[in-house]
Amino acid sequence: MFIVDKIRADFPILNREVHGKKLVYFDNGATSQTPQIVIDAIVDYYSNYNANIHRGVHTLSQEATDKYEEARLKVQQHFNAKHSYEIILTAGTTHSINVVASGFSAILKAGDQVIVSSLEHHSNIVPWQMLCEKTGAILKVIPMNEDGSLRMDIYHELLNANTKLVFCNHVSNALGIINPIKEIIHAAHKFGAYVLIDGAQAVPHIKPDVQGLDADFYVASAHKMCGPTGVGVLYGKEELLKLLPPYQGGGEMIETVTFEKTTYAGLPHKFEAGTPNICGGIAFGAAIDYLNSIGFDNIAKQENELLAYGTQELEKIEGLKIYGTSDKVAVISFNLEGIHPYDVGSILDKLGVAVRTGHHCAQPIMNFYGIPGTVRASFAFYNTKQEIDVLVASVKRAKMMLS
Ligand SMILES: *Cc1c(COP(=O)(O)O)cnc(C)c1O
């Protein structure tokens, strides 16, 4: 049974105070908090079997290698990849996207077309712009509607025989909108184009199914799903990972090296040059286990209640506007009329409430609405209705002080 107080006891940080007030952490979209079991996995690694992997014959190295590869299997299962070698452990979403973008710079030609959605994080825009500059490929954008949903009619018109790649996030980080990625993937495949899904903002809320979606690439970061920073995943279909050249040269990614010629290691090692974030990978596995022990149905139920309650209560505040009202996860992006989001965020912080303010690395969305940014409250399953009451009271207070 899901009892939020019991869950909260798993997260030591939730007990701390900020400016003398009990912390209300509503910046889960930027990074999630870490349960004790994941902290324990990190301590256990450095206390008991810290060693480099895949190289040593000694016991510690073998233990570390086994745990690291076990973590890869956990990621494979969680994302429902067909093979464990289709799971590349990276430094995070940004790194994963750059591996793919850099790989396609050897494949795309001038005049090829790539399509990106207007809801993207800068991480899923800039690498493709760089790719287009390098190759002469053309970047097209799927526009958005006022409610934060994508103009799917225009997406279908943009697709043609020149379309080679499509990039879209599963869930928008700035607004929390859930995008129709199954339709996006299916439509792209009809034209032979590959699709990369940025799942960074979806994975805290939704168990991804890369085979069910038929995604060509799916990327995410551990730190938004109760894991540590500096580790993430690049899922790619086997044939595509074989097609792409390696991203970095170094140790671990080679089979043989002579000065005449180097042959590359097979998957996944071809994309894992150098000593990886061993501890981070193992802790990522622990985070996945933790989330599954809570259960994604329970997570969705709790978060949807928070979203409904938070929306209802915030909407009662006069002059408060919520951006992105289409189908979404537990994220409320809003502004108070005539008040800069930064000022609201600063007062909320003084009252112990952590939110994100600004453009959320998604400036095109802010340009669409003609605003400098928003205040974003992003909820997790360990948040409570009482915390939302604190948020609402704090927003009211900020409004009083600033208007
Ligand atoms: C957070 C986020 C990223 C970037 O993730 P990093 O962990 O900083 O690499 C990319 N896309 C979306 C949708 C995000 O929410």
Side-chain angles (χ1 to χ4, degrees):
M1 203 168 95
F2 184 92
I3 301 167
V4 73
D5 286 338
K6 202 165 145 266
I7 304 267
R8 288 178 70 80
D10 295 338
F11 293 83
I13 209 169
L14 297 180
N15 290 320
R16 75 159 281 182
E17 293 189 349
V18 172
H19 301 304
K21 304 271 198 279
K22 199 163 170 13
L23 167 69
V24 171
Y25 188 76
F26 284 157
D27 195 19
N28 297 285
T31 201
S32 52
Q33 291 306 342
T34 317
Q36 188 64 48
I37 207 162
V38 173
I39 299 171
D40 288 346
I42 294 167
V43 173
D44 183 40
Y45 170 78
Y46 282 112
S47 309
N48 295 311
Y49 60 99
N50 176 28
N52 211 331
I53 55 169
H54 299 143
R55 298 166 201 211
V57 294
H58 63 83
T59 304
L60 264 52
S61 173
Q62 280 170 8
E63 282 179 17
T65 304
D66 288 349
K67 291 270 195 189
Y68 191 70
E69 290 308 319
E70 211 175 276
R72 191 191 308 278
L73 295 176
K74 287 176 186 179
V75 178
Q76 178 205 347
Q77 266 190 356
H78 187 72
F79 286 74
N80 192 31
K82 194 166 172 191
H83 305 290
S84 65
Y85 52 79
E86 292 174 321
I87 299 296
I88 314 296
L89 293 171
T90 64
T93 304
T94 304
H95 178 197
S96 299
I97 292 171
N98 277 282
V99 171
V100 178
S102 149
F104 273 102
S105 70
I107 292 166
L108 289 195
K109 292 188 217 53
D112 283 346
Q113 180 180 294
V114 300
I115 300 179
V116 66
S117 101
S118 53
L119 294 177
E120 296 312 299
H121 189 281
H122 295 165
S123 281
N124 206 18
I125 300 175
V126 182
W128 309 113
Q129 280 175 329
M130 290 163 65
L131 172 69
C132 287
E133 267 170 36
K134 238 187 263 174
T135 58
I138 301 153
L139 192 72
K140 299 271 167 130
V141 180
I142 315 169
M144 60 188 278
N145 293 305
E146 188 67 28
D147 67 359
S149 60
L150 289 174
R151 291 284 308 269
M152 291 300 285
D153 52 333
I154 298 193
Y155 171 60
H156 288 286
E157 283 169 19
L158 286 175
L159 283 167
N160 62 44
N162 293 327
T163 310
K164 294 293 181 278
L165 291 167
V166 177
F167 323 107
C168 186
N169 54 34
H170 191 164
V171 167
S172 145
N173 67 305
L175 305 176
I177 301 297
I178 303 170
N179 288 312
I181 55 170
K182 202 158 184 170
E183 178 184 344
I184 286 171
I185 293 168
H186 185 70
H189 284 172
K190 283 194 182 154
F191 290 90
Y194 302 124
V195 183
L196 178 141
I197 301 296
D198 172 355
Q201 207 60 228
V203 289
H205 312 287
I206 299 165
K207 192 173 168 131
D209 176 0
V210 295
Q211 287 188 87
L213 290 167
D214 200 19
D216 300 296
F217 300 98
Y218 194 102
V219 301
S221 297
H223 72 90
K224 289 181 180 167
M225 50 189 302
C226 295
T229 54
V231 65
V233 55
L234 162 58
Y235 159 79
K237 281 184 186 161
E238 179 179 3
E239 68 264 27
L240 290 173
L241 292 176
K242 283 188 170 155
L243 179 77
L244 295 186
Y247 179 60
Q248 288 181 312
E252 202 69 60
M253 54 74 72
I254 46 82
E255 190 176 62
T256 58
V257 176
T258 65
F259 282 108
E260 288 72 42
K261 183 163 175 59
T262 291
T263 55
Y264 302 129
L267 295 173
H269 305 297
K270 172 177 152 188
F271 292 104
E272 293 183 351
T275 301
N277 183 350
I278 302 167
C279 176
I282 293 166
F284 186 10
I288 285 174
D289 283 347
Y290 176 76
L291 288 175
N292 283 314
S293 77
I294 306 288
F296 277 82
D297 289 345
N298 287 325
I299 290 172
K301 187 161 173 288
Q302 173 73 1
E303 292 179 347
N304 287 338
E305 273 173 29
L306 295 173
L307 176 64
Y309 182 64
T311 305
Q312 172 199 306
E313 294 304 306
L314 284 171
E315 270 178 342
K316 288 181 186 162
I317 300 173
E318 209 181 307
L320 186 144
K321 178 173 162 66
I322 293 175
Y323 298 91
T325 48
S326 180
D327 189 22
K328 66 177 180 175
V329 300
V331 169
I332 303 178
S333 219
F334 65 91
N335 272 329
L336 288 169
E337 198 181 344
I339 304 175
H340 198 281
Y342 178 83
D343 296 332
V344 178
S346 302
I347 290 178
L348 293 186
D349 176 60
K350 295 286 181 303
L351 299 170
V353 181
V355 292
R356 174 95 186 260
T357 65
H359 55 61
H360 316 296
C361 295
Q363 272 175 353
I365 299 180
M366 303 305 140
N367 296 343
F368 173 82
Y369 288 120
I371 52 176
T374 67
V375 179
R376 182 188 69 181
S378 48
F379 309 132
F381 56 91
Y382 42 75
N383 289 129
T384 64
K385 281 190 173 176
Q386 290 88 321
E387 288 182 306
I388 288 181
D389 290 338
V390 175
L391 168 72
V392 172
S394 305
V395 171
K396 283 182 182 161
R397 187 128 162 233
K399 188 186 163 197
M400 233 165 55
M401 289 168 73
L402 293 166
S403 51

